[in-house]
Amino acid sequence: MTFCALHQRGLGGRRQQQAAGMLNTLLRPTMDHAVQQPISGAASALYPNHLSTLMQRTEEALRRVGKRHLLIPSGVTKYQFLDDRPYPFQVNPHFKAWLPLTEHADCWLVITPGQKPHLIYLLADDFWHLPPQAPEGYWVAHWQVSLIRTPDEARALLPPTADCSIVGDADAALADYLPDNAPALLDYLHYHRAYKTAYELSLLRAASTRAVRGHRAAEASFRSGGSELDIHRAYLAATGHNDLDLPYTNIVCLNEHCATLHYQYQSPVKPETSRSMLIDAGASVAGYAADITRTFSNEDALFSALIRGVDEAQRALVDRVREGVDYRDLHVECHHRLADVLIDFGILKGTAEAAVTEGISAAFFPHGLGHLLGLQVHDVAGFAASDQGGRIERPEGHPFLRLTRTLSAGMVMTIEPGIYFIESLLAPLRSRLPEERINWSLIEHLKPFGGIRIEDDVVCTGSMPENLTRDAFAAA
Ligand code: GLY
Ligand code: MN
Ligand code: MN
């Protein structure tokens, strides 16, 4: 680590003293601030290889656009209209791919093949807010670090723009260093980001472990009659997250609310009866996400059995996460499996084939089987045909599928089938389907339970899939 900026910019003696003090902190483990837990030793041992993989990918991506440097601004704090209140800061995912910093606005990475990567780190004098702490942890020794006091000071440390490709949000940088987000560079980096390094897998495992702590607490709160807000709070307490740390807004539904796919309110009212709970809630570790859904029933034998039916189909689909499998085929297979469940329960009559081709299964399972997962909960490049661009379209009649690639080792995705009783989707079936094809009285019985989704995070490997979620539940 070098504090070149301190010397180049002639910062005062106090800052230099601070810098010397910082050196003493470098041997401390990197903390995940929300729970003040050290990020696992496994991740820190795997970090150097992760860095060299990113460096190789970047070298090739830069070659494709004829540039020498990749610049990555972390992003800026954005303010609400006519107000001095900031929106929650969301770091540029390209930034957190390189190092476990998620709360740091106005920083830059300068990546130059053949050179130590360079972090330009804002350490502002700010008595209004808690400024970021001096950089510390397992990753620091691999970086050249320059400290700046104001965002503008980065300019003097950045290479000339003509030599750079800049990746970031349109307004996330200095006015004379606007991101170009070169398509050929992004196509390459995004395509390969689907293949996780061993370091990334260790962080995704840790994220699942953390989310599972929350899911167990949420189930206990549901069983004891908690409101949606009580359940959400129990989840947060058990994960050590606050709302802003979550990789997406928790979906916590009771009873009929389970039929709203992305139900976003957490009612504070305790229900008279807690018939069912659907909770889709994640966790973050070092910027990597878990995305897990579980559904529970408190009482009804039929709905409980239906949960088991979806669970069985879900496990079978997880088992199909193998190299060479086209995820589009897996999604269509999911429709067949869920149609079989609906037929087994007497909700539908006829064949699964007919239910799928006539679009009947889609009235009960309207969303996609899943998506890539990593630095973003819906990770990039789910449709990428190659690292040179191109798009693999969704199969006809499946407008919400978010992943169409063929699976190979290192990809991490969700497998999240569901069966829901959503009146606006069922209504067209009422006129379209003859009485003998569908059992409306069973559906009326099940509607107060809303619906079912079961979602695991799964790694495609060279052999058996690794189920991050079920492994974490088993270990809990
Ligand atoms: N939690 C959002 C999703 O499952 O895709
Ligand atoms: Mn998901
Ligand atoms: Mn989810």
Side-chain angles (χ1 to χ4, degrees), residues 140-184:
V140 177
H142 301 277
W143 289 80
Q144 178 197 345
V145 180
S146 300
L147 302 179
I148 54 174
R149 268 191 308 181
T150 66
D152 275 347
E153 286 180 6
R155 189 174 282 110
L157 300 166
L158 294 170
T161 45
D163 296 339
C164 300
S165 204
I166 308 177
V167 172
D169 207 357
D171 60 356
L174 300 166
D176 44 347
Y177 278 90
L178 292 180
D180 58 334
N181 293 319

Side-chain angles (χ1 to χ4, degrees), residues 253-281:
C253 322
L254 293 177
N255 304 337
E256 290 86 351
H257 292 162
C258 302
T260 302
L261 300 179
H262 282 178
Y263 175 77
Q264 68 274 47
Y265 304 109
Q266 286 133 13
S267 166
V269 180
K270 286 188 198 303
E272 269 174 36
T273 47
S274 301
R275 291 183 290 275
S276 55
M277 173 177 76
L278 185 157
I279 174 166
D280 183 343

Side-chain angles (χ1 to χ4, degrees), residues 330-362:
L330 213 50
H331 170 81
V332 173
E333 180 178 329
C334 176
H335 271 269
H336 282 91
R337 288 185 180 275
L338 293 174
D340 276 332
V341 172
L342 291 165
I343 291 164
D344 286 349
F345 277 77
I347 296 166
L348 292 180
K349 304 268 165 43
T351 65
E353 185 62 34
V356 176
T357 54
E358 294 172 31
I360 300 163
S361 60

Side-chain angles (χ1 to χ4, degrees), residues 248-249 251 262 280-281 291-293 371 377-378 402 414 416 453 455:
Y248 56 92
T249 306
I251 296 166
H262 282 178
D280 183 343
D291 178 10
I292 298 174
T293 310
H371 48 85
V377 65
H378 297 153
R402 288 194 177 100
T414 66
E416 47 181 305
R453 177 161 69 253
E455 175 175 28

